[in-house]
Amino acid sequence: MTAAHPDRPETSETAALPALPYGSWPSPLTAEWASAASPRLEGAAFVGDEIWWGQSVPAEGGRTAVFRRALTAAATATATAIETVLPTPWSARSAVHDYGGGAWAATDDGRLFFVEKSDQQVWRLLPGGTPQPLTADPAHRYGGLRWGADTLLAVRERATGADAAGDDTAAGTDAATRAIVAIDVATGDVRTLATGTDFVAQPTLSPDGALLAWIGWDDPDMPWDRTRLRIARIDGDTPAAPVDVAGGSGAVLQPEWRDERTLLFLDDTTGFWNPWQVSADAGIPPIPLAPADADTGGPLWSLGMRWYGVLDGARILAVRSDGSDRLVLIGPTGDVSPVALPATGDLLIEAVRGHQALVSGTAPETTGIWLIDADAGTARQIVGASLGIKRAWLPRTAPLTVSGSSGDVHAFVHPPASPVARGADGERPPYLVLVHGGPTGRATGVADSRVLFFTSRGIGVLEVNYGGSTGYGRAYRERLRGQWGVVDVADVAAAASGLAATGAADPARLAIKGGSAGGWTVLAALARTDVFAAGISRYGVGDARALAAASHGFEAHYLDGLIGPLPEAEEVYRERSPLTHIEGFDVPVLLLQGSDDPVVPPSQAEAIRDALAAHGVPHAYVRYEGEGHGFRRAETIVHALETELAFLGQVFEFETPGIPPVTLT
């Protein structure tokens, strides 16, 4: 086991603090503060002499607005320096692939194009005007918008249950379900540019607009399994047949044109996602650029995700991940230099222009967007602000590596931290073990506001990147292949037990929390191990077979790789499902669920609730009306955090001043 010890060494200053029970420390970091302090960012763009960005507004029902500010504005984003581009009630949010992404794009002269959440059509907003519909096609929905070469590109997907009649591709086939299209920004006419695979994503036009590049993949693969990089000439009356120029054995991502004939992309055929270059001319094989044992790339859950950008001078600004993220500049000869940036979590290259780039991410004290100047070597935060708290509230986060049944397991430890209280002598803190979703996802080790909500009250947080997580290369990611419900469960149990073995955590007060696929691991860990004394499942999966039957579109065959194909593996689905092993539950459980979740419907949580009730297991179930897969409304976020704290206080027997109690039945 390796780790920087997570305990903060006691000093004369901390020794003078009052000793209070862990979990009941007074904290100014309220649930309302946590809701407002970690905004959900949705892309950014250079628009003339301004910067525009998308951001969720929890106080307005979680809608996604578009804001702007001048490039020359001061480093600290203030309310007076920010203007709203897309006002209420409009919300830029796509439902393509259910997870959306790329829901807006803007031109340099200030025209905004966005996917309106309510109808999933593309709308336009001209300077000084009001939003007007651009497309009117209820049989389809749009996402992945991108402006380039004076053309608006989009991914178009047939809406669930829509009649394919009138589609300009082969009706009734998977390839007809999704297409790359160009939308005439004056008339709204839609021209199909590319189909031919079950899924398409990340379209980009060559600078002269003659060549289209994109990625495509077919069921049962997911975009982190196998994809193809395709090119087609589109400047004729009819787009030419596509040509595959890379992929097939690895997971190709994010094509970007370096010039009219040279294409960059990401591929993980060497074991890690790294940048590559290929010529549009046939017969010239791709070549790697600055290969490294770190990932530049990640799971394509959202259509708007980008991990590198092409700057002037043939330079590349790229994210590299090995657990945490860092930013590097790759020169024209392959030389690599670091770019100083306080953010080390969830970095994305949102936009590039000349020698500048917009990079979003999270830092220990803020979530925001930074303006990177590659010539000056500077990084200036232009969206988001410091959390406004003393550094003493920030935990001394440390990486943790333990031995698991499938190899090393990586995690991050956030110990309790407070400038106003300390733990009682001889008492070890309770810990909340966080399990990320996906399961093809990761934690990056940044203590965000929702982590600080717990650590400031004396509850430690352990984030586990179990086998199957991204950020550690393809082999680590593929540990979960066919082993969902086995490897993830063993790894979170090993990490929690390993932390307790260091003396940093109370082994009798370990709770586990996760959402979606993370909720599955929570429930499976409660059913199959005796490590955890309580569990919190947000919109978690309890019955894999029911999930497979309900899944469609993007995730229709996801479980083929995680568990096995149906019907051959039906018994494996039954055996792996937490609902099958309800007799293994013997600790309290909190279930939180959105009523309108299209990915994990309420029936999953309610089946677990009913089974727990039938077996007399203490539990509580909260259903949030109008919420989907992931909570966006301020009142929901606040209530969920406070309910989780009250639940832990009741189970672990500590006071939670000012927090309403939760009733377990």
Side-chain angles (χ1 to χ4, degrees):
M1 180 188 308
T2 59
H5 200 282
D7 280 345
R8 187 183 297 272
E10 187 171 280
T11 65
S12 58
E13 184 177 332
T14 57
L17 296 175
L20 298 174
Y22 285 111
S24 61
W25 296 355
S27 172
L29 311 185
T30 64
E32 289 83 0
W33 169 87
S35 171
S38 294
R40 184 192 294 261
L41 299 174
E42 305 281 356
F46 291 103
V47 179
D49 60 358
E50 297 177 331
I51 292 170
W52 292 17
W53 71 95
Q55 182 176 323
S56 66
V57 188
E60 297 179 12
R63 82 176 184 97
T64 299
V66 177
F67 299 96
R68 68 183 179 193
R69 65 176 314 194
L71 256 173
T72 55
T76 302
T78 63
T80 56
I82 296 172
E83 296 181 354
T84 301
V85 179
L86 185 64
T88 185
W90 311 101
S91 182
R93 188 174 173 191
S94 167
V96 170
H97 295 175
D98 290 326
Y99 297 96
W104 66 275
T107 65
D108 202 51
D109 59 1
R111 290 172 288 167
L112 175 70
F113 305 100
F114 67 97
V115 178
E116 163 56 30
K117 177 188 175 183
S118 62
D119 64 7
Q120 290 300 295
Q121 297 301 296
V122 179
W123 290 60
R124 64 185 166 198
L125 175 59
L126 304 182
T130 58
Q132 301 295 325
L134 186 59
T135 63
D137 180 12
H140 294 91
R141 55 192 184 185
Y142 294 84
L145 302 185
R146 187 164 193 186
W147 178 262
D150 293 324
T151 302
L152 181 63
L153 298 176
V155 175
R156 186 187 65 186
E157 179 180 63
R158 186 182 300 122
T160 303
D163 183 0
D167 192 358
D168 55 2
T169 55
T173 68
D174 286 341
T177 301
R178 296 165 194 90
I180 305 294
V181 299
I183 303 173
D184 188 309
V185 298
T187 67
D189 292 340
V190 178
R191 179 191 182 204
T192 298
L193 301 180
T195 58
T197 53
D198 293 342
F199 296 89
V200 291
Q202 297 185 311
T204 180
L205 282 173
S206 59
D208 60 4
L211 295 174
L212 174 72
W214 73 98
I215 67 167
W217 68 96
D218 293 307
D219 286 331
D221 290 325
M222 300 298 289
W224 44 84
D225 295 327
R226 273 168 297 277
T227 63
R228 289 179 277 167
L229 174 57
R230 320 196 85 187
I231 295 177
R233 180 167 287 279
I234 63 164
D235 54 354
D237 292 337
T238 302
V243 176
D244 292 351
V245 295
S249 59
V252 176
L253 292 171
Q254 194 189 336
E256 303 283 354
W257 292 96
R258 176 168 264 176
D259 55 44
E260 278 80 359
R261 306 299 299 174
T262 307
L263 189 63
L264 303 181
F265 62 98
L266 303 173
D267 201 354
D268 67 347
T269 52
T270 61
F272 292 87
W273 273 305
N274 282 174
W276 289 68
Q277 178 175 296
V278 68
S279 172
D281 299 317
I284 302 176
I287 59 173
L289 303 176
D293 289 343
D295 277 331
T296 295
L300 192 64
W301 286 105
S302 167
L303 289 173
M305 302 178 78
R306 292 182 173 86
W307 296 271
Y308 75 96
V310 183
L311 301 174
D312 60 9
R315 297 172 296 177
I316 300 170
L317 185 69
V319 178
R320 280 187 173 174
S321 304
D322 188 3
S324 296
D325 292 340
R326 62 189 185 277
L327 204 58
V328 299
L329 187 65
I330 303 173
T333 62
D335 54 302
V336 178
S337 56
V339 177
L341 187 69
T344 58
D346 303 313
L347 298 188
L348 292 173
I349 311 298
E350 301 288 2
V352 294
R353 185 169 70 182
H355 60 279
Q356 295 182 317
L358 299 175
V359 178
S360 64
T362 57
E365 294 186 75
T366 185
T367 295
I369 297 173
W370 284 260
L371 175 65
I372 307 298
D373 189 314
D375 288 351
T378 59
R380 178 165 63 93
Q381 188 171 2
I382 47 88
V383 174
S386 169
L387 298 181
I389 60 176
K390 295 180 180 179
R391 292 196 63 82
W393 289 107
L394 301 178
R396 184 169 294 178
T397 298
L400 174 73
T401 301
V402 305
S403 296
S405 57
S406 300
D408 285 349
V409 180
H410 302 294
F412 294 99
V413 185
H414 309 287
S418 170
V420 300
R422 65 179 178 90
D425 293 339
E427 183 186 6
R428 287 294 177 182
Y431 259 79
L432 182 61
V433 178
L434 296 187
V435 188
H436 65 71
T440 310
R442 66 183 174 122
T444 58
V446 175
D448 64 16
S449 63
R450 299 177 202 189
V451 168
L452 298 179
F453 176 78
F454 291 101
T455 58
S456 66
R457 289 169 168 77
I459 302 169
V461 173
L462 175 67
E463 294 184 289
V464 183
N465 280 325
Y466 49 86
S469 302
T470 54
Y472 301 95
R474 188 178 184 99
Y476 195 85
R477 190 168 78 244
E478 290 194 334
R479 285 185 187 177
L480 205 60
R481 193 162 187 83
Q483 296 299 307
W484 193 38
V486 179
V487 166
D488 52 322
V489 171
D491 284 358
V492 296
S497 298
L499 177 66
T502 70
D506 184 346
R509 292 190 294 172
L510 298 173
I512 184 171
K513 168 186 168 181
S516 189
W520 156 279
T521 303
V522 166
L523 297 171
L526 295 178
R528 294 175 176 274
T529 79
D530 58 2
V531 173
F532 303 102
I536 301 170
S537 171
R538 289 186 172 204
Y539 36 89
V541 178
D543 184 345
R545 187 65 185 89
L547 180 66
S551 295
H552 61 274
F554 182 62
E555 294 186 90
H557 294 276
Y558 190 18
L559 298 188
D560 287 22
L562 292 173
I563 299 177
L566 289 169
E568 297 88 341
E570 187 153 6
E571 178 57 27
V572 181
Y573 279 66
R574 190 200 68 80
E575 198 280 330
R576 295 270 181 87
S577 295
L579 192 61
T580 303
H581 301 280
I582 204 70
E583 71 283 353
F585 287 80
D586 57 5
V587 299
V589 182
L590 173 64
L591 304 168
L592 305 176
Q593 178 70 44
S595 66
D596 299 343
D597 192 334
V599 179
V600 181
S603 58
Q604 289 272 347
E606 290 163 3
I608 290 289
R609 175 203 61 190
D610 295 345
L612 294 174
H615 284 76
V617 180
H619 67 280
Y621 173 61
V622 182
R623 175 175 167 135
Y624 295 106
E625 296 302 320
E627 287 285 6
H629 197 67
F631 303 150
R632 288 176 174 259
R633 297 176 178 174
E635 60 270 25
T636 303
I637 297 169
V638 169
H639 186 271
L641 281 173
E642 291 187 342
T643 300
E644 290 168 354
L645 179 61
F647 171 75
L648 294 177
Q650 182 167 337
V651 173
F652 293 150
E653 299 182 344
F654 57 75
E655 298 294 326
T656 56
I659 302 297
V662 62
T663 301
L664 300 181
T665 58

